[in-house]
Amino acid sequence: MTFKTLFTACVTATALTGAASAQSMSGTDNPMVGGAAMFADKTIVENAVNSADHTTLVAAVKAAGLVDTLMGEGPFTVFAPTNAAFDRISDESLNALLQPEAKAQLTQILTCHVVATNAMSDAIAGMIADDGGMHPVPTVGGCTLQAEMSGDTITLTDENGREATVTIADVRQSNGVIHVIDRVLLPAQ
């Protein structure tokens, strides 16, 4: 299955799920993400499919077979790269990652964006302060990200020195929290 096919399937799912979510009576004070309301009573996957900024991430989660996991009980903290973050990866490399033979590699990359706890930004900022300005964040994928503060903004650095900035923090989910980031983080090479 090509990236284009997965992308089209995600756009269709987004339109269908978005219509259902718009009818939801669940109010939330969550920030909007990708032009869509994020509902605190929905799972990470149920909300992510509604974000126009996360269609590539949703396609990757599907290709890696992580939908059921991220719809599970959690709690999870997901550092969610935007489409623009994925655009920094060549189309050739991204298409290769979405092929069935690269599933293990894609799964590791995606799970390096997931922490097995519910960590709101104030808690992360507190851990950074307690650790003297930098806090190690071990991920489900076996990576350790380094969290730091840049003014009032959290940044994450992967094991390769790639830095991502949290652009939207504290998007509450029924099974955790999403923090939107502007770069795809990678495991050590």
Side-chain angles (χ1 to χ4, degrees):
M1 182 175 283
T2 67
F3 172 71
K4 191 173 199 173
T5 304
L6 283 168
F7 180 80
T8 302
C10 287
V11 170
T12 302
T14 298
L16 294 173
T17 307
S21 291
Q23 295 172 355
S24 174
M25 297 305 287
S26 171
T28 180
D29 59 357
N30 264 344
M32 299 276 285
V33 176
M38 296 286 114
F39 297 93
D41 64 345
K42 300 217 179 277
T43 68
I44 290 165
V45 172
E46 290 170 330
N47 275 318
V49 298
N50 292 318
S51 170
D53 291 343
H54 289 90
T55 55
T56 305
L57 177 60
V58 170
V61 166
K62 287 180 180 181
L66 294 172
V67 171
D68 289 342
T69 300
L70 293 176
M71 287 185 70
E73 186 176 322
F76 303 109
T77 296
V78 175
F79 298 106
T82 61
N83 293 341
F86 279 100
D87 287 346
R88 296 172 79 171
I89 301 171
S90 73
D91 287 344
E92 182 179 315
S93 294
L94 187 56
N95 282 329
L97 278 173
L98 293 172
Q99 298 307 308
E101 58 272 12
K103 184 176 180 180
Q105 182 182 11
L106 179 61
T107 299
Q108 183 183 20
I109 290 170
L110 293 175
T111 56
C112 280
H113 292 79
V114 180
V115 181
T117 190
N118 188 356
M120 301 300 281
S121 64
D122 59 347
I124 297 169
M127 289 182 271
I128 292 168
D130 290 347
D131 285 350
M134 183 181 292
H135 179 73
V137 180
T139 68
V140 172
C143 306
T144 299
L145 307 174
Q146 298 299 323
E148 297 179 83
M149 296 300 296
S150 178
D152 291 337
T153 304
I154 295 171
T155 62
L156 301 163
T157 304
D158 68 17
E159 296 167 336
N160 301 295
R162 298 164 56 97
E163 185 177 288
T165 300
V166 174
T167 58
I168 302 173
D170 300 335
V171 186
R172 291 170 187 83
Q173 316 291 302
S174 66
N175 60 345
V177 62
I178 290 175
H179 301 292
V180 177
I181 59 173
D182 64 357
R183 189 154 195 194
V184 176
L185 301 167
L186 298 174
Q189 298 175 350

